[in-house]
Amino acid sequence: MMFAVAMTFIDQTIVSIAAPDIVRELGLSSSGMQWVVNAYLLSLAAFFALGGRLADLYGPRRIVVIGTVVFVVSSVLCGCVPAGGAAQAWLIVFRATQGLGAALLFPAALAVVVAVFPVERRGRALALFFGVSGALTALGPLLGGWLTGWTWRAVFWVNVPVAIVALLLTALAHLSDRRRSGTLDVPGAALIAAGMGLSVLGFQQAWSWGWDSWATWVCVAGGLAVLCAFVRYERQVRHPLIDLRVFRDKAFTVDAAVLFFAMLAFVPVFFFSSVYAQVSLSASPNQAALFLLYFFAGFAIASQWGGRILDQQGARPALKLGTAVGCAGFALWANKLTDLSMHDQWPYAALAGAGIGFVLAPASTDAVNRAIGASYGEVTGITQTVRNYAASVGLAVYGTVLTHVTTDKVVQTLRSRGMPAGDADAVARDITESVTGNGDSRPPTGTGPAAEATRDAMSAVRMDFAEANQWVFYGMAIALGIGFLCALRHPGGRVATTAAEKGEPVGRTG
Protein backbone atom coordinates (compact mmCIF):
# COMPACT_ATOMS: atom_id res chain seq x y z
CA MET A 1 0.00 0.00 0.00
CA MET A 2 2.94 2.34 0.64
CA PHE A 3 4.15 1.69 -2.88
CA ALA A 4 0.67 2.25 -4.27
CA VAL A 5 0.32 5.69 -2.69
CA ALA A 6 3.90 6.64 -3.62
CA MET A 7 2.68 8.14 -6.89
CA THR A 8 0.23 10.45 -5.14
CA PHE A 9 2.89 11.79 -2.78
CA ILE A 10 5.56 12.19 -5.46
CA ASP A 11 3.11 14.08 -7.66
CA GLN A 12 2.51 16.73 -5.00
CA THR A 13 6.10 17.96 -5.37
CA ILE A 14 7.50 16.86 -8.72
CA VAL A 15 5.41 19.27 -10.83
CA SER A 16 6.59 22.30 -8.81
CA ILE A 17 10.19 21.63 -9.89
CA ALA A 18 9.16 21.28 -13.55
CA ALA A 19 6.94 24.39 -13.43
CA PRO A 20 9.47 26.80 -15.05
CA ASP A 21 9.99 24.56 -18.08
CA ILE A 22 6.26 23.85 -18.42
CA VAL A 23 5.44 27.58 -18.39
CA ARG A 24 8.25 28.41 -20.81
CA GLU A 25 7.36 25.76 -23.39
CA LEU A 26 3.57 25.99 -23.23
CA GLY A 27 3.29 29.71 -22.54
CA LEU A 28 1.09 29.36 -19.45
CA SER A 29 0.19 32.32 -17.25
CA SER A 30 1.22 32.38 -13.59
CA SER A 31 -2.38 31.80 -12.50
CA GLY A 32 -2.61 29.01 -15.06
CA MET A 33 0.45 27.29 -13.62
CA GLN A 34 -0.92 27.64 -10.11
CA TRP A 35 -4.10 25.96 -11.33
CA VAL A 36 -2.07 23.10 -12.81
CA VAL A 37 -0.74 22.53 -9.27
CA ASN A 38 -4.00 23.42 -7.55
CA ALA A 39 -6.33 21.35 -9.76
CA TYR A 40 -4.70 18.17 -8.46
CA LEU A 41 -5.03 19.23 -4.82
CA LEU A 42 -8.55 20.56 -5.24
CA SER A 43 -9.70 17.35 -6.89
CA LEU A 44 -8.12 15.40 -4.05
CA ALA A 45 -10.02 17.49 -1.50
CA ALA A 46 -13.31 17.30 -3.39
CA PHE A 47 -13.33 13.53 -3.91
CA PHE A 48 -11.50 12.07 -0.90
CA ALA A 49 -14.74 11.60 1.04
CA LEU A 50 -16.19 9.87 -2.03
CA GLY A 51 -13.12 7.63 -2.26
CA GLY A 52 -13.41 6.62 1.37
CA ARG A 53 -17.09 5.81 0.99
CA LEU A 54 -16.52 3.77 -2.18
CA ALA A 55 -13.83 1.76 -0.36
CA ASP A 56 -16.40 0.93 2.34
CA LEU A 57 -19.13 -0.03 -0.13
CA TYR A 58 -17.15 -1.95 -2.76
CA GLY A 59 -14.04 -3.09 -0.89
CA PRO A 60 -10.66 -1.38 -0.53
CA ARG A 61 -8.72 -3.68 -2.88
CA ARG A 62 -11.01 -2.98 -5.83
CA ILE A 63 -10.89 0.79 -5.23
CA VAL A 64 -7.08 0.72 -4.90
CA VAL A 65 -6.87 -0.90 -8.35
CA ILE A 66 -9.39 1.49 -9.95
CA GLY A 67 -7.71 4.54 -8.39
CA THR A 68 -4.28 3.42 -9.60
CA VAL A 69 -5.51 2.93 -13.17
CA VAL A 70 -7.28 6.32 -13.26
CA PHE A 71 -4.19 8.00 -11.86
CA VAL A 72 -1.67 6.50 -14.27
CA VAL A 73 -3.84 7.02 -17.38
CA SER A 74 -4.27 10.68 -16.39
CA SER A 75 -0.51 10.97 -15.85
CA VAL A 76 0.21 9.71 -19.35
CA LEU A 77 -2.29 12.20 -20.81
CA CYS A 78 -0.70 15.06 -18.82
CA GLY A 79 2.64 14.17 -20.36
CA CYS A 80 1.09 14.15 -23.86
CA VAL A 81 -0.30 17.70 -23.65
CA PRO A 82 -0.16 19.39 -27.09
CA ALA A 83 1.39 22.82 -27.51
CA GLY A 84 -0.97 25.64 -28.38
CA GLY A 85 -4.01 27.37 -26.98
CA ALA A 86 -5.54 24.21 -25.52
CA ALA A 87 -2.45 23.31 -23.47
CA GLN A 88 -3.49 25.04 -20.25
CA ALA A 89 -7.02 23.60 -20.23
CA TRP A 90 -5.68 20.14 -21.15
CA LEU A 91 -3.20 20.10 -18.26
CA ILE A 92 -5.70 21.41 -15.72
CA VAL A 93 -8.37 18.85 -16.71
CA PHE A 94 -6.08 15.84 -16.56
CA ARG A 95 -4.37 17.05 -13.38
CA ALA A 96 -7.88 17.11 -11.90
CA THR A 97 -8.53 13.52 -13.03
CA GLN A 98 -5.16 12.59 -11.53
CA GLY A 99 -6.46 14.00 -8.28
CA LEU A 100 -9.62 11.92 -8.65
CA GLY A 101 -7.53 8.76 -9.04
CA ALA A 102 -5.46 9.66 -5.97
CA ALA A 103 -8.64 10.42 -4.01
CA LEU A 104 -9.92 6.91 -4.77
CA LEU A 105 -6.58 5.24 -4.09
CA PHE A 106 -5.33 6.82 -0.89
CA PRO A 107 -8.21 6.29 1.60
CA ALA A 108 -8.66 2.72 0.38
CA ALA A 109 -4.94 1.99 0.83
CA LEU A 110 -4.85 3.59 4.26
CA ALA A 111 -7.98 1.66 5.31
CA VAL A 112 -6.15 -1.58 4.45
CA VAL A 113 -3.17 -0.62 6.62
CA VAL A 114 -5.36 0.48 9.53
CA ALA A 115 -7.36 -2.75 9.44
CA VAL A 116 -4.20 -4.90 9.57
CA PHE A 117 -2.65 -3.40 12.72
CA PRO A 118 -4.18 -3.47 16.23
CA VAL A 119 -4.60 -0.13 17.94
CA GLU A 120 -1.58 -0.53 20.24
CA ARG A 121 0.73 -0.92 17.23
CA ARG A 122 -1.04 1.43 14.88
CA GLY A 123 0.88 4.59 15.80
CA ARG A 124 4.24 3.17 14.75
CA ALA A 125 2.75 1.44 11.71
CA LEU A 126 1.18 4.62 10.37
CA ALA A 127 4.25 6.64 11.35
CA LEU A 128 6.19 4.27 9.09
CA PHE A 129 3.49 4.61 6.42
CA PHE A 130 3.57 8.40 6.47
CA GLY A 131 7.35 8.53 7.05
CA VAL A 132 8.16 6.35 4.05
CA SER A 133 5.53 8.16 2.01
CA GLY A 134 7.13 11.46 3.07
CA ALA A 135 10.51 10.14 2.00
CA LEU A 136 8.99 9.21 -1.34
CA THR A 137 7.62 12.75 -1.55
CA ALA A 138 11.21 13.91 -1.19
CA LEU A 139 12.02 11.89 -4.32
CA GLY A 140 9.65 14.18 -6.22
CA PRO A 141 11.99 17.18 -6.31
CA LEU A 142 15.02 14.99 -7.08
CA LEU A 143 13.25 13.13 -9.86
CA GLY A 144 11.77 16.39 -11.11
CA GLY A 145 15.16 18.06 -11.35
CA TRP A 146 16.74 15.08 -13.09
CA LEU A 147 13.86 14.30 -15.46
CA THR A 148 13.33 17.94 -16.39
CA GLY A 149 16.87 17.91 -17.80
CA TRP A 150 15.56 15.42 -20.37
CA THR A 151 11.97 16.65 -20.78
CA TRP A 152 9.44 18.02 -18.32
CA ARG A 153 6.89 15.57 -19.76
CA ALA A 154 8.80 12.75 -18.04
CA VAL A 155 7.69 14.02 -14.61
CA PHE A 156 4.26 12.62 -15.53
CA TRP A 157 5.42 9.52 -17.36
CA VAL A 158 7.52 8.35 -14.40
CA ASN A 159 4.26 7.23 -12.76
CA VAL A 160 3.81 4.43 -15.32
CA PRO A 161 6.45 1.99 -13.99
CA VAL A 162 5.49 2.83 -10.40
CA ALA A 163 1.83 2.01 -11.15
CA ILE A 164 2.73 -1.29 -12.82
CA VAL A 165 4.73 -2.41 -9.78
CA ALA A 166 1.99 -1.20 -7.43
CA LEU A 167 -0.65 -3.24 -9.28
CA LEU A 168 1.55 -6.34 -9.21
CA LEU A 169 2.18 -5.99 -5.47
CA THR A 170 -1.53 -5.45 -4.83
CA ALA A 171 -2.32 -8.68 -6.69
CA LEU A 172 0.36 -10.60 -4.78
CA ALA A 173 -0.82 -9.30 -1.39
CA HIS A 174 -4.18 -11.18 -1.66
CA LEU A 175 -6.02 -8.40 0.16
CA SER A 176 -9.45 -9.14 1.60
CA ASP A 177 -12.28 -7.03 0.21
CA ARG A 178 -14.62 -6.60 3.17
CA ARG A 179 -17.61 -4.47 2.20
CA ARG A 180 -20.19 -2.53 4.18
CA SER A 181 -23.88 -2.26 3.44
CA GLY A 182 -25.36 1.05 2.33
CA THR A 183 -25.82 3.24 -0.71
CA LEU A 184 -23.69 5.91 -2.32
CA ASP A 185 -24.68 9.49 -1.45
CA VAL A 186 -24.36 11.05 -4.91
CA PRO A 187 -26.00 14.43 -4.01
CA GLY A 188 -23.67 14.75 -1.03
CA ALA A 189 -20.64 14.08 -3.21
CA ALA A 190 -21.80 16.72 -5.70
CA LEU A 191 -22.40 19.30 -2.94
CA ILE A 192 -19.00 18.90 -1.30
CA ALA A 193 -17.18 19.01 -4.64
CA ALA A 194 -19.08 22.16 -5.73
CA GLY A 195 -18.56 23.91 -2.39
CA MET A 196 -14.83 23.30 -2.32
CA GLY A 197 -14.39 24.19 -5.97
CA LEU A 198 -16.22 27.51 -5.68
CA SER A 199 -14.48 28.68 -2.51
CA VAL A 200 -10.98 27.85 -3.74
CA LEU A 201 -11.75 29.51 -7.10
CA GLY A 202 -12.53 32.73 -5.24
CA PHE A 203 -9.29 32.60 -3.24
CA GLN A 204 -7.25 31.67 -6.32
CA GLN A 205 -8.60 34.45 -8.53
CA ALA A 206 -8.53 37.18 -5.88
CA TRP A 207 -5.32 38.65 -7.32
CA SER A 208 -6.72 38.85 -10.85
CA TRP A 209 -10.19 39.98 -9.88
CA GLY A 210 -9.22 41.94 -6.74
CA TRP A 211 -10.36 41.44 -3.16
CA ASP A 212 -12.92 44.19 -3.67
CA SER A 213 -14.48 42.36 -6.64
CA TRP A 214 -17.99 40.97 -6.26
CA ALA A 215 -16.93 37.89 -8.24
CA THR A 216 -14.27 37.00 -5.66
CA TRP A 217 -16.68 37.13 -2.75
CA VAL A 218 -19.52 35.46 -4.64
CA CYS A 219 -17.25 32.47 -5.18
CA VAL A 220 -15.87 32.38 -1.63
CA ALA A 221 -19.20 33.00 0.13
CA GLY A 222 -21.09 30.83 -2.36
CA GLY A 223 -18.69 27.93 -1.85
CA LEU A 224 -18.96 28.18 1.94
CA ALA A 225 -22.76 28.36 1.66
CA VAL A 226 -22.79 25.18 -0.43
CA LEU A 227 -20.60 23.45 2.17
CA CYS A 228 -23.06 24.54 4.88
CA ALA A 229 -25.88 23.09 2.76
CA PHE A 230 -23.85 19.87 2.47
CA VAL A 231 -23.62 19.63 6.28
CA ARG A 232 -27.39 20.14 6.68
CA TYR A 233 -28.12 17.60 3.95
CA GLU A 234 -25.83 14.95 5.47
CA ARG A 235 -27.70 15.13 8.77
CA GLN A 236 -30.91 14.06 7.06
CA VAL A 237 -29.62 11.20 4.89
CA ARG A 238 -29.87 7.57 6.01
CA HIS A 239 -26.54 6.62 4.40
CA PRO A 240 -24.54 9.89 4.30
CA LEU A 241 -21.29 10.40 2.47
CA ILE A 242 -19.81 11.57 5.81
CA ASP A 243 -21.25 10.45 9.13
CA LEU A 244 -21.05 13.74 11.04
CA ARG A 245 -21.51 11.98 14.39
CA VAL A 246 -17.76 11.44 14.46
CA PHE A 247 -17.31 15.17 15.16
CA ARG A 248 -19.01 14.67 18.53
CA ASP A 249 -15.67 13.26 19.66
CA LYS A 250 -13.71 16.32 20.77
CA ALA A 251 -10.37 14.67 20.09
CA PHE A 252 -11.37 13.87 16.50
CA THR A 253 -12.46 17.46 15.92
CA VAL A 254 -9.18 18.80 17.31
CA ASP A 255 -7.20 16.32 15.18
CA ALA A 256 -9.03 17.57 12.08
CA ALA A 257 -8.43 21.23 13.02
CA VAL A 258 -4.71 20.69 13.63
CA LEU A 259 -4.40 18.85 10.32
CA PHE A 260 -6.13 21.74 8.56
CA PHE A 261 -3.73 24.39 9.86
CA ALA A 262 -0.66 22.17 9.38
CA MET A 263 -1.61 21.49 5.77
CA LEU A 264 -1.93 25.22 5.08
CA ALA A 265 1.88 25.04 5.17
CA PHE A 266 2.85 21.48 4.23
CA VAL A 267 1.97 21.25 0.53
CA PRO A 268 2.26 24.99 -0.37
CA VAL A 269 5.84 25.07 0.93
CA PHE A 270 6.89 22.77 -1.94
CA PHE A 271 5.73 25.21 -4.59
CA PHE A 272 6.80 28.48 -2.97
CA SER A 273 10.23 27.36 -1.74
CA SER A 274 11.00 25.85 -5.16
CA VAL A 275 10.11 29.03 -7.07
CA TYR A 276 11.91 31.17 -4.46
CA ALA A 277 15.08 29.11 -4.88
CA GLN A 278 15.01 29.43 -8.65
CA VAL A 279 14.20 33.17 -8.72
CA SER A 280 15.88 34.72 -5.69
CA LEU A 281 18.76 32.24 -5.33
CA SER A 282 19.19 31.68 -9.11
CA ALA A 283 19.18 27.93 -8.39
CA SER A 284 18.75 25.27 -11.04
CA PRO A 285 15.86 22.79 -10.74
CA ASN A 286 18.28 20.21 -9.29
CA GLN A 287 19.56 22.70 -6.71
CA ALA A 288 16.00 23.65 -5.81
CA ALA A 289 15.27 19.95 -5.30
CA LEU A 290 18.19 19.61 -2.89
CA PHE A 291 16.88 22.69 -1.07
CA LEU A 292 13.65 20.83 -0.31
CA LEU A 293 15.52 17.77 0.96
CA TYR A 294 16.48 19.70 4.10
CA PHE A 295 12.79 20.06 4.85
CA PHE A 296 12.16 16.34 4.34
CA ALA A 297 15.15 15.30 6.45
CA GLY A 298 13.48 16.92 9.44
CA PHE A 299 10.08 15.56 8.43
CA ALA A 300 11.19 11.92 8.13
CA ILE A 301 12.99 11.85 11.48
CA ALA A 302 10.20 13.59 13.39
CA SER A 303 7.42 11.44 11.88
CA GLN A 304 8.96 8.29 13.43
CA TRP A 305 9.40 10.06 16.77
CA GLY A 306 5.82 11.32 16.63
CA GLY A 307 4.50 7.78 16.09
CA ARG A 308 6.27 6.55 19.21
CA ILE A 309 4.90 9.47 21.24
CA LEU A 310 1.39 8.60 20.03
CA ASP A 311 1.68 4.95 21.08
CA GLN A 312 3.13 5.79 24.49
CA GLN A 313 1.38 9.02 25.49
CA GLY A 314 -1.41 9.71 23.02
CA ALA A 315 -1.74 12.37 20.34
CA ARG A 316 -1.80 15.55 22.46
CA PRO A 317 1.95 15.79 23.28
CA ALA A 318 2.93 15.14 19.65
CA LEU A 319 0.47 17.74 18.33
CA LYS A 320 1.63 20.40 20.79
CA LEU A 321 5.30 19.72 20.10
CA GLY A 322 4.85 19.59 16.34
CA THR A 323 2.85 22.78 15.96
CA ALA A 324 5.21 24.70 18.26
CA VAL A 325 8.34 23.46 16.46
CA GLY A 326 6.75 24.07 13.05
CA CYS A 327 5.70 27.62 13.98
CA ALA A 328 9.24 28.43 15.15
CA GLY A 329 10.82 26.76 12.13
CA PHE A 330 8.76 28.60 9.52
CA ALA A 331 9.21 31.95 11.31
CA LEU A 332 13.00 31.54 11.50
CA TRP A 333 13.11 30.33 7.90
CA ALA A 334 11.11 33.38 6.77
CA ASN A 335 13.57 35.66 8.57
CA LYS A 336 16.48 34.15 6.61
CA LEU A 337 14.95 34.32 3.13
CA THR A 338 16.41 37.76 2.41
CA ASP A 339 19.96 36.53 3.16
CA LEU A 340 19.77 34.90 -0.30
CA SER A 341 21.90 32.00 0.93
CA MET A 342 20.78 28.38 0.92
CA HIS A 343 23.52 27.54 3.40
CA ASP A 344 22.04 29.88 6.03
CA GLN A 345 18.53 28.50 5.64
CA TRP A 346 18.85 24.72 5.84
CA PRO A 347 18.60 24.35 9.67
CA TYR A 348 15.33 26.27 9.71
CA ALA A 349 13.93 24.36 6.72
CA ALA A 350 14.70 21.12 8.58
CA LEU A 351 13.09 22.50 11.76
CA ALA A 352 9.93 23.43 9.84
CA GLY A 353 9.82 19.94 8.33
CA ALA A 354 10.24 18.36 11.77
CA GLY A 355 7.25 20.30 13.05
CA ILE A 356 5.03 18.91 10.27
CA GLY A 357 6.47 15.42 10.84
CA PHE A 358 5.48 15.44 14.51
CA VAL A 359 1.90 16.38 13.58
CA LEU A 360 0.95 14.49 10.43
CA ALA A 361 0.98 10.82 11.46
CA PRO A 362 -0.24 11.25 15.09
CA ALA A 363 -3.17 13.50 14.13
CA SER A 364 -4.19 11.26 11.22
CA THR A 365 -3.82 8.04 13.24
CA ASP A 366 -5.64 9.35 16.31
CA ALA A 367 -8.51 10.49 14.08
CA VAL A 368 -8.75 7.11 12.33
CA ASN A 369 -8.68 5.28 15.67
CA ARG A 370 -11.90 7.09 16.53
CA ALA A 371 -13.76 5.76 13.49
CA ILE A 372 -17.45 4.99 13.75
CA GLY A 373 -18.02 1.27 13.35
CA ALA A 374 -15.57 -0.35 10.96
CA SER A 375 -15.65 2.58 8.54
CA TYR A 376 -11.94 3.32 8.37
CA GLY A 377 -12.34 4.30 4.73
CA GLU A 378 -14.98 6.88 5.58
CA VAL A 379 -13.02 8.49 8.43
CA THR A 380 -9.84 8.46 6.36
CA GLY A 381 -11.84 10.23 3.66
CA ILE A 382 -12.82 12.93 6.16
CA THR A 383 -9.27 13.60 7.37
CA GLN A 384 -7.82 13.57 3.87
CA THR A 385 -10.57 15.92 2.65
CA VAL A 386 -9.62 18.35 5.42
CA ARG A 387 -5.93 18.05 4.60
CA ASN A 388 -6.22 18.59 0.88
CA TYR A 389 -8.81 21.33 1.07
CA ALA A 390 -6.44 23.17 3.41
CA ALA A 391 -3.57 22.67 0.95
CA SER A 392 -5.71 24.08 -1.89
CA VAL A 393 -6.75 27.10 0.17
CA GLY A 394 -3.14 27.64 1.26
CA LEU A 395 -1.86 27.63 -2.30
CA ALA A 396 -4.57 30.03 -3.40
CA VAL A 397 -4.24 32.50 -0.52
CA TYR A 398 -0.44 32.48 -0.37
CA GLY A 399 -0.27 32.78 -4.15
CA THR A 400 -2.47 35.86 -4.00
CA VAL A 401 -0.34 37.38 -1.23
CA LEU A 402 2.89 36.63 -3.11
CA THR A 403 1.79 38.18 -6.40
CA HIS A 404 0.29 41.26 -4.71
CA VAL A 405 3.32 42.00 -2.51
CA THR A 406 5.79 41.25 -5.33
CA THR A 407 4.00 43.66 -7.66
CA ASP A 408 3.98 46.45 -5.07
CA LYS A 409 7.67 46.03 -4.30
CA VAL A 410 8.73 45.84 -7.95
CA VAL A 411 6.73 49.02 -8.70
CA GLN A 412 8.65 50.82 -5.94
CA THR A 413 11.95 49.48 -7.28
CA LEU A 414 11.25 50.59 -10.87
CA ARG A 415 9.97 54.03 -9.82
CA SER A 416 13.11 54.56 -7.74
CA ARG A 417 15.07 54.08 -10.98
CA GLY A 418 13.11 56.80 -12.75
CA MET A 419 10.45 54.80 -14.57
CA PRO A 420 7.08 56.62 -14.85
CA ALA A 421 4.34 55.35 -12.55
CA GLY A 422 2.13 53.98 -15.34
CA ASP A 423 4.98 52.13 -17.03
CA ALA A 424 6.27 50.83 -13.70
CA ASP A 425 2.89 49.34 -12.83
CA ALA A 426 2.52 47.57 -16.20
CA VAL A 427 6.11 46.26 -16.18
CA ALA A 428 5.81 45.15 -12.54
CA ARG A 429 2.74 43.08 -13.31
CA ASP A 430 4.53 41.47 -16.27
CA ILE A 431 7.53 40.63 -14.09
CA THR A 432 5.32 39.23 -11.34
CA GLU A 433 3.41 37.16 -13.89
CA SER A 434 6.73 35.75 -15.07
CA VAL A 435 8.51 34.96 -11.82
CA THR A 436 5.60 33.65 -9.75
CA GLY A 437 4.60 31.11 -12.34
CA ASN A 438 7.92 30.58 -14.07
CA GLY A 439 10.75 30.68 -11.60
CA ASP A 440 12.87 32.29 -14.30
CA SER A 441 15.23 35.08 -13.27
CA ARG A 442 16.69 35.84 -16.71
CA PRO A 443 16.64 39.55 -17.60
CA PRO A 444 14.10 40.61 -20.24
CA THR A 445 15.08 41.28 -23.82
CA GLY A 446 14.08 44.30 -25.87
CA THR A 447 15.04 47.93 -26.30
CA GLY A 448 13.80 51.23 -24.93
CA PRO A 449 13.88 52.92 -21.52
CA ALA A 450 11.49 50.44 -19.86
CA ALA A 451 13.51 47.40 -20.94
CA GLU A 452 16.79 49.05 -19.91
CA ALA A 453 15.43 50.02 -16.49
CA THR A 454 14.03 46.53 -15.99
CA ARG A 455 17.36 44.87 -16.83
CA ASP A 456 19.18 47.19 -14.46
CA ALA A 457 16.71 46.36 -11.68
CA MET A 458 16.78 42.54 -11.91
CA SER A 459 19.07 42.04 -8.90
CA ALA A 460 16.75 44.26 -6.85
CA VAL A 461 13.75 42.33 -8.19
CA ARG A 462 15.23 39.12 -6.84
CA MET A 463 15.37 40.73 -3.40
CA ASP A 464 11.81 42.04 -3.85
CA PHE A 465 10.67 38.50 -4.55
CA ALA A 466 12.48 37.21 -1.46
CA GLU A 467 10.83 39.87 0.69
CA ALA A 468 7.43 38.97 -0.76
CA ASN A 469 8.06 35.30 0.08
CA GLN A 470 8.71 36.33 3.68
CA TRP A 471 5.02 37.24 3.92
CA VAL A 472 4.12 33.75 2.69
CA PHE A 473 6.41 31.93 5.12
CA TYR A 474 5.33 34.08 8.05
CA GLY A 475 1.77 33.17 7.06
CA MET A 476 2.72 29.49 7.32
CA ALA A 477 4.19 30.15 10.78
CA ILE A 478 0.94 31.83 11.84
CA ALA A 479 -1.05 28.81 10.59
CA LEU A 480 1.07 26.49 12.75
CA GLY A 481 0.64 28.87 15.67
CA ILE A 482 -3.15 28.61 15.36
CA GLY A 483 -2.70 24.85 15.12
CA PHE A 484 -0.86 24.96 18.47
CA LEU A 485 -3.82 26.75 20.07
CA CYS A 486 -6.09 24.00 18.69
CA ALA A 487 -3.75 21.27 20.02
CA LEU A 488 -4.11 22.70 23.52
CA ARG A 489 -7.81 21.79 23.32
CA HIS A 490 -7.09 18.10 22.69
CA PRO A 491 -8.42 16.05 25.64
CA GLY A 492 -5.35 13.79 25.63
CA GLY A 493 -5.13 10.12 26.48
CA ARG A 494 -4.68 7.07 24.31
CA VAL A 495 -7.42 5.24 22.47
CA ALA A 496 -7.96 1.99 24.34
CA THR A 497 -10.41 0.22 22.00
CA THR A 498 -11.16 0.99 18.41
CA ALA A 499 -14.64 1.78 17.25
CA ALA A 500 -14.32 -1.14 14.86
CA GLU A 501 -14.28 -3.39 17.92
CA LYS A 502 -17.03 -1.57 19.84
CA GLY A 503 -19.22 -0.40 16.98
CA GLU A 504 -19.44 3.16 18.29
CA PRO A 505 -17.29 6.27 18.79
CA VAL A 506 -14.47 5.30 21.10
CA GLY A 507 -13.56 6.60 24.51
CA ARG A 508 -10.09 7.19 25.85
CA THR A 509 -7.88 6.27 28.78
CA GLY A 510 -5.37 8.20 30.82
Side-chain angles (χ1 to χ4, degrees), residues 6-21 133-149 154-155 158 266-275 277-278 284-297 333 342:
M7 298 180 298
T8 71
F9 278 83
I10 290 173
D11 231 63
Q12 291 182 16
T13 54
I14 195 170
V15 176
S16 297
I17 294 296
D21 285 356
S133 300
L136 291 170
T137 312
L139 286 178
L142 289 175
L143 282 172
W146 180 66
L147 292 172
T148 301
V155 305
V158 73
F266 183 48
V267 172
V269 74
F270 306 147
F271 180 78
F272 293 104
S273 61
S274 171
V275 177
Q278 294 181 67
S284 67
N286 278 324
Q287 290 170 325
L290 291 173
F291 187 59
L292 291 177
L293 281 183
Y294 298 132
F295 180 90
F296 281 109
W333 192 2
M342 191 180 297

Side-chain angles (χ1 to χ4, degrees), residues 223-405:
L224 295 177
V226 172
L227 290 176
C228 290
F230 165 77
V231 171
R232 294 187 63 180
Y233 175 80
E234 292 297 282
R235 289 175 175 172
Q236 303 169 5
V237 180
R238 183 179 179 185
H239 298 292
L241 184 70
I242 294 176
D243 192 335
L244 299 175
R245 290 179 301 160
V246 73
F247 286 99
R248 296 175 185 172
D249 188 315
K250 183 179 179 180
F252 179 89
T253 302
V254 172
D255 290 333
V258 171
L259 282 171
F260 180 87
F261 289 107
M263 292 303 291
L264 284 175
F266 183 48
V267 172
V269 74
F270 306 147
F271 180 78
F272 293 104
S273 61
S274 171
V275 177
Y276 160 79
Q278 294 181 67
V279 174
S280 293
L281 304 184
S282 299
S284 67
N286 278 324
Q287 290 170 325
L290 291 173
F291 187 59
L292 291 177
L293 281 183
Y294 298 132
F295 180 90
F296 281 109
F299 173 86
I301 295 170
S303 64
Q304 298 304 304
W305 194 354
R308 292 187 178 94
I309 293 174
L310 173 66
D311 284 340
Q312 296 169 6
Q313 304 175 44
R316 189 171 188 262
L319 300 189
K320 289 168 58 181
L321 177 62
T323 50
V325 169
C327 178
F330 277 105
L332 293 170
W333 192 2
N335 190 51
K336 285 291 183 180
L337 290 178
T338 51
D339 289 358
L340 302 185
S341 169
M342 191 180 297
H343 176 74
D344 293 340
Q345 296 177 37
W346 75 263
Y348 309 114
L351 191 65
I356 301 295
F358 278 122
V359 168
L360 191 59
S364 300
T365 306
D366 190 58
V368 170
N369 284 343
R370 299 169 190 276
I372 295 174
S375 182
Y376 294 128
E378 181 180 355
V379 174
T380 300
I382 296 172
T383 57
Q384 299 305 313
T385 297
V386 169
R387 286 178 52 181
N388 288 280
Y389 181 59
S392 297
V393 171
L395 270 170
V397 173
Y398 296 143
T400 300
V401 170
L402 181 65
T403 50
H404 179 75
V405 176

Side-chain angles (χ1 to χ4, degrees), residues 425-435:
D425 184 67
V427 172
R429 290 183 70 88
D430 289 342
I431 291 175
T432 300
E433 184 87 3
S434 173
V435 299

Side-chain angles (χ1 to χ4, degrees), residues 121-154:
R121 295 175 55 202
R122 195 171 293 155
R124 292 188 184 184
L126 290 186
L128 180 64
F129 183 87
F130 285 110
V132 171
S133 300
L136 291 170
T137 312
L139 286 178
L142 289 175
L143 282 172
W146 180 66
L147 292 172
T148 301
W150 171 41
T151 171
W152 60 262
R153 297 176 187 272

Side-chain angles (χ1 to χ4, degrees), residues 15-85:
V15 176
S16 297
I17 294 296
D21 285 356
I22 295 174
V23 171
R24 190 179 301 120
E25 182 174 323
L26 299 180
L28 306 187
S29 64
S30 65
S31 61
M33 189 62 229
Q34 285 186 13
W35 270 108
V36 170
V37 175
N38 213 25
Y40 176 79
L41 298 171
L42 179 57
S43 183
L44 273 174
F47 296 111
F48 247 122
L50 175 63
R53 184 63 175 159
L54 289 174
D56 288 335
L57 293 177
Y58 301 107
R61 180 187 59 81
R62 178 177 299 181
I63 301 304
V64 164
V65 172
I66 292 173
T68 301
V69 171
V70 171
F71 188 92
V72 73
V73 170
S74 300
S75 298
V76 171
L77 290 171
C78 283
C80 295
V81 56

